[in-house]
Amino acid sequence: MSQANLSKNQKPELLNVENRRKLTWVLFLLPALLVYLVFMAGPLFDSLRLSLYTGKGYSPTEFVGLQNYIDLFTVPLWREKFFNAIINTCIFFAIHMTIQNSLGLLFANLLASDFKGRNFFRTLIFTPTTLSVLVVGFLWTLILNPNWGAVNQILTGVGLKQFALPWLGRENLALPVIALTSVWQWIGMPTVMFLAGLTGISEELIEAASIDGASEWEIFWKIKFPLIQPVIGIIAILTFVDNFNAFDVIYAMAGAKGEPAYSADLLATLFYRTGIAGEHPTGIPNMGMGATIATITFLILMSGVLVWLYFSRRNADEK
Amino acid sequence: MLRPKFNRIFTYTVLSIWTLIVLFPLWTLIINSFKPQNEIFASPFGFPKDFTLDGYIEVWNAGHFGRYFANSLIVTILSLGLILFIGSMAAYALAKWKSPISNFLYIFFIAGLMIPIRLGTIDLMRLIIALNLQNTIWSLIPVYVAMGMPIATFVLTAFIKELPNEMFDAAKVDGASEWQVYSKVVLPLMRPALATVAIFNMIKIWNDFWFPLVFIRQESARTVALGVSLLFGQYHTDWTRALAVLSLAAIPLLILYILLAREFIKGLTAGAIKG
C-alpha cells in the first residue's frame, strides 16, 4: 500500500522533470528560431504567396493567380528579358564552375605539397576574397577602361595591340570579362576547400603509390581525385547557389541594367529592377512580378540542390 | 631525380604568374591613388613622382567616411555577437536534445544554407518598413543575424556532437544545469568552431551591399559598401578621388587580413573539413 502511494506521488513529479527539460531545450532554441523564422523563412515563403498578386507600390493586393507566371513566359517584353537573364546567369555560372573550380583545384594541389613560400602563396590567393565585391568590381572597371587601359597598355606593350579591346563595352565580351573578374576574386574559396580535402588524404597512401612508380599525374587522378569527390560536390553546389544569385559585381561593372544592351543582365539584376527599384523611367516597382522572378530562381536552386543531394546520397551508398 | 625538380619549377611558375595577376590590380589601385590625374594616365605603373594626398583628404571630408566605418563596425560586431550567442545556444540544443522536433529543426535551419535570403527581399523590405526601421542601421542587424543562422547551427552542431559525452555527464553529476553546462563547459571548448563561424559571417556582413542598397537612403546610416558605391558614382571621372575611395574601403581589410591570415585560413579550413 505504501508503495502504491509512493508511485502515485512520484508520477506527476517525473512528468514535471521531463517537461522542464523540454522547456529548457525550447528556450535554448527560441531566440535563433524566432529571428530565423521572422527574418528569413517567413519572407522567403511569403514571396511565394506574393507572386500570385499584382499591384503597384508596396502592397500588391489584387489576387491574379498564376497570371504573373503566364505573363513572364508569354508576353514578349517580359519573356525576352527573362530568358536573356536566365541564359546569361547560366553562362556566368558555367565560367565559374569550369575556370574557377579547375584553377582552384590546380592551386590546391600545388599548395598541398611542402615547399618554400607556401604560406605566402596561400595567403595571397585568398586575399581578393576578403575584399568587397563592389570594390573589386569598380577597381577592374577602372583598370579595363579603354581610355586609361592599364590592361590595354600592357597588351600593346607586349605586341598584342589587336587584343586591346573595350572589354566592358562590347555585348559579347562584357559578361565573360565580368565573370572572370569574379573568378579572380573568389578563387580563394575553392582553393581553401580543396586544400582542406587534399591535406586530409593520408601521406602513406601517396607514398606507397609513388614507391610503386606512379607518376604525380597518376597519383592525382587515381588516388586524390576520387577521394576528394565529396568536396567537389560541395564546391559545385556552393558555386551554383552563389552564382545564380550574383548581383554586386554586375551592379558595379555593368550597372543595374547589365549593360551594354542587357548583355550582362542576370536573374538578380532583373529581380532588383523589377521588384525593388522599379524599371526606368517610372521607378515604380512591380512587386508581384519581382516575387515571381524570385520564386522561379528559388525553384531553379531547389532543383539543383535536390539533384546534388540525390547524387551525393547515391555515391555515399555505393561506398 | 629530374621529376621532383620539374614539379618544383612548375609549382613556382604557376603560382608566380597568379601572384602577378592578384597583385597587379591592387598595386595599380594603391599606387595611383597618390598621383594627380594626368600622371595616372601618363604612367600608370610607376611610383608617384608628384605625390599627393588630395584624393584622400577630399574624399574623407566630402564622404563622411568616418561615419560609414562606424556604421559598418557597429552592424558587423553586433550581428556577429548575436549570431555566435544565439547560434551556439541553438546548436547546443540541436546536438543534445534527442527528439524528432530537434531533428526537424536542424534540417529546417541548414536548409537555409542553400537558399539565399535575398530572394525574400521584397517581403523583408515590407517588414522593415512596417517596423519603421528603414534608413537606419538597425534594419540590417536582424537580417544578418537570420542570414547567419544556417552556417552557425551547421558548423556548431557538428562540433558539439563530436565532443566526448563524458564531459557533459561529469558536469551533470555535479548538479550543473543545462545553462551552466552550456556557458561553463561548451562555450569555452567551442572557440575554434566559433572562430570559423565568425570569419565566414564577417566577410559576408562587412562586404554586403545588397541590403544597405535596398533599406538605406539616408547619408548618416550608410555602410562602407553603400558609401563607396555612391561616392564612386560621384567621382568616376576624377580618378585620383575614385581610387582614393576604393583604397579607403580596401586598405583596412587588407591590413586586417594580412595580420590575421594564418588564423583566417586555419579557421576556414577547419570549417571546410567539418562540412
Side-chain angles (χ1 to χ4, degrees):
Chain A
M1 184 160 150
S2 68
Q3 216 165 11
N5 241 340
L6 228 165
S7 68
K8 221 181 190 176
N9 286 340
Q10 244 174 11
K11 220 176 178 184
E13 176 136 6
L14 262 177
L15 265 176
N16 233 349
V17 170
E18 188 51 32
N19 275 341
R20 210 182 297 159
R21 273 184 62 82
K22 259 190 204 159
L23 185 68
T24 313
W25 289 131
V26 170
L27 287 177
F28 267 94
L29 281 162
L30 204 58
L33 195 58
L34 267 181
V35 177
Y36 185 65
L37 270 177
V38 174
F39 289 95
M40 186 156 173
L44 279 171
F45 282 112
D46 205 45
S47 265
L48 308 185
R49 186 188 62 82
L50 205 63
S51 70
L52 305 177
Y53 286 79
T54 193
K56 297 278 180 205
Y58 285 82
S59 50
T61 44
E62 192 190 329
F63 182 80
V64 288
L66 292 175
Q67 195 57 47
N68 284 333
Y69 293 86
I70 295 168
D71 285 354
L72 196 57
F73 282 97
T74 58
V75 174
L77 198 68
W78 282 117
R79 190 181 57 198
E80 223 171 85
K81 282 190 210 166
F82 176 62
F83 282 102
N84 173 51
I86 287 207
I87 291 166
N88 287 343
T89 309
C90 289
I91 295 172
F92 191 76
F93 160 67
I95 290 174
H96 282 82
M97 192 66 194
T98 51
I99 297 177
Q100 173 191 280
N101 293 346
S102 43
L103 266 182
L105 183 57
L106 170 69
F107 291 158
N109 202 35
L110 297 178
L111 290 170
S113 63
D114 198 17
F115 62 92
K116 217 175 178 182
R118 184 177 64 163
N119 282 331
F120 167 78
F121 288 121
R122 280 189 185 183
T123 306
L124 185 110
I125 285 178
F126 201 77
T127 304
T129 312
T130 59
L131 294 174
S132 146
V133 179
L134 213 63
V135 169
V136 169
F138 286 142
L139 173 58
W140 276 99
T141 311
L142 293 182
I143 290 174
L144 293 167
N145 183 309
N147 289 329
W148 183 29
V151 163
N152 289 352
Q153 280 203 15
I154 293 180
L155 287 172
T156 314
V158 296
L160 292 169
K161 197 173 182 356
Q162 67 271 34
F163 289 108
L165 300 168
W167 297 103
L168 296 170
R170 288 217 184 143
E171 286 181 33
N172 57 347
L173 274 178
L175 184 64
V177 169
I178 295 172
L180 289 176
T181 308
S182 171
V183 167
W184 176 84
Q185 167 158 39
W186 290 108
I187 195 151
M189 271 307 193
T191 306
V192 166
M193 291 177 79
F194 278 131
L195 195 55
L198 287 170
T199 37
I201 298 172
S202 90
E203 292 278 334
E204 289 139 45
L205 204 62
I206 292 162
E207 237 163 71
S210 102
I211 288 168
D212 286 347
S215 70
E216 196 70 22
W217 187 252
E218 283 170 323
I219 290 176
F220 178 76
W221 287 110
K222 298 225 168 104
I223 300 174
K224 293 180 181 172
F225 193 75
L227 280 173
I228 56 166
Q229 246 168 35
V231 184
I232 296 175
I234 292 172
I235 290 174
I237 195 70
L238 286 178
T239 309
F240 174 67
V241 172
D242 286 346
N243 289 300
F244 258 77
N245 191 32
F247 173 82
D248 298 21
V249 73
I250 300 286
Y251 185 88
M253 299 182 78
K257 286 200 275 184
E259 317 238 41
Y262 298 105
S263 64
D265 195 21
L266 300 190
L267 279 170
T269 38
L270 181 64
F271 169 59
Y272 174 76
R273 288 200 315 276
T274 309
I276 294 162
E279 282 281 13
H280 195 74
T282 56
I284 301 166
N286 182 344
M287 293 200 157
M289 189 55 99
T292 306
I293 295 168
T295 304
I296 292 173
T297 313
F298 176 88
L299 292 175
I300 295 174
L301 289 179
M302 280 300 281
S303 30
V305 170
L306 289 176
V307 168
W308 168 68
L309 276 177
Y310 172 75
F311 279 107
S312 61
R313 276 280 163 83
R314 209 182 60 173
N315 280 347
D317 286 346
E318 273 172 11
K319 271 172 197 159
Chain B
M1 271 295 94
L2 237 163
R3 221 173 53 205
K5 205 169 174 190
F6 170 77
N7 281 340
R8 190 111 318 164
I9 292 169
F10 180 72
T11 302
Y12 279 117
T13 313
V14 171
L15 293 177
S16 302
I17 292 172
W18 190 256
T19 303
L20 286 180
I21 295 176
V22 169
L23 290 183
F24 158 70
L26 299 176
W27 166 262
T28 329
L29 164 67
I30 292 167
I31 207 71
N32 285 301
S33 66
F34 296 110
K35 295 176 189 168
Q37 178 103 340
N38 54 359
E39 200 188 329
I40 294 179
F41 280 87
S43 69
F45 305 117
F47 279 102
K49 276 180 245 126
D50 202 357
F51 186 89
T52 171
L53 283 173
D54 283 0
Y56 287 92
I57 294 166
E58 172 129 349
V59 164
W60 185 271
N61 289 336
H64 308 100
F65 246 94
R67 180 83 248 169
Y68 306 159
F69 271 105
N71 285 336
S72 280
L73 266 180
I74 295 170
V75 168
T76 308
I77 291 173
L78 284 180
S79 306
L80 276 185
L82 282 167
I83 289 172
L84 295 180
F85 179 55
I86 69 177
S88 62
M89 269 171 55
Y92 179 52
L94 292 172
K96 288 291 154 191
W97 183 21
K98 305 277 180 269
S99 97
I101 302 173
S102 65
N103 288 341
F104 169 76
L105 287 179
Y106 177 67
I107 296 190
F108 180 54
F109 274 120
I110 63 171
L113 282 176
M114 298 301 168
I115 299 155
I117 190 169
R118 282 181 186 181
L119 294 178
T121 303
I122 291 179
D123 276 273
L124 275 172
M125 193 159 77
R126 298 186 330 145
L127 179 63
I128 293 297
I129 290 171
L131 295 170
N132 206 14
L133 292 175
Q134 75 277 25
N135 278 327
T136 68
I137 56 171
W138 313 112
S139 61
L140 301 172
I141 295 170
V143 177
Y144 291 155
V145 175
M147 188 170 91
M149 281 305 109
I151 183 96
T153 45
F154 177 64
V155 172
L156 299 177
T157 306
F159 187 87
I160 297 172
K161 275 190 176 157
E162 273 171 34
L163 293 174
N165 260 326
E166 298 85 62
M167 227 145 42
F168 299 97
D169 298 341
K172 292 267 179 55
V173 169
D174 291 344
S177 69
E178 294 296 353
W179 175 256
Q180 284 165 323
V181 176
Y182 161 76
S183 57
K184 301 250 166 70
V185 181
V186 179
L187 263 191
L189 284 170
M190 224 169 8
R191 252 186 257 147
L194 289 173
T196 302
V197 175
I199 291 169
F200 265 110
N201 284 300
M202 191 175 76
I203 301 179
K204 263 196 185 159
I205 294 173
W206 180 274
N207 288 334
D208 182 57
F209 170 61
W210 174 266
F211 286 111
L213 177 70
V214 175
F215 292 159
I216 293 170
R217 294 271 175 275
Q218 197 123 18
E219 165 95 41
S220 62
R222 285 181 196 162
T223 59
V224 175
L226 186 60
V228 163
S229 106
L230 296 173
L231 280 176
F232 187 84
Q234 194 178 323
Y235 290 130
H236 73 278
T237 51
D238 183 340
W239 290 45
T240 310
R241 300 208 171 102
L243 290 165
V245 169
L246 299 182
S247 300
L248 273 174
I251 290 171
L253 266 141
L254 283 176
I255 293 174
L256 183 76
Y257 171 67
I258 290 165
L259 289 177
L260 297 174
R262 273 207 116 116
E263 282 74 45
F264 226 83
I265 298 213
K266 222 196 288 168
L268 282 170
T269 324
I273 287 174
K274 283 262 146 43

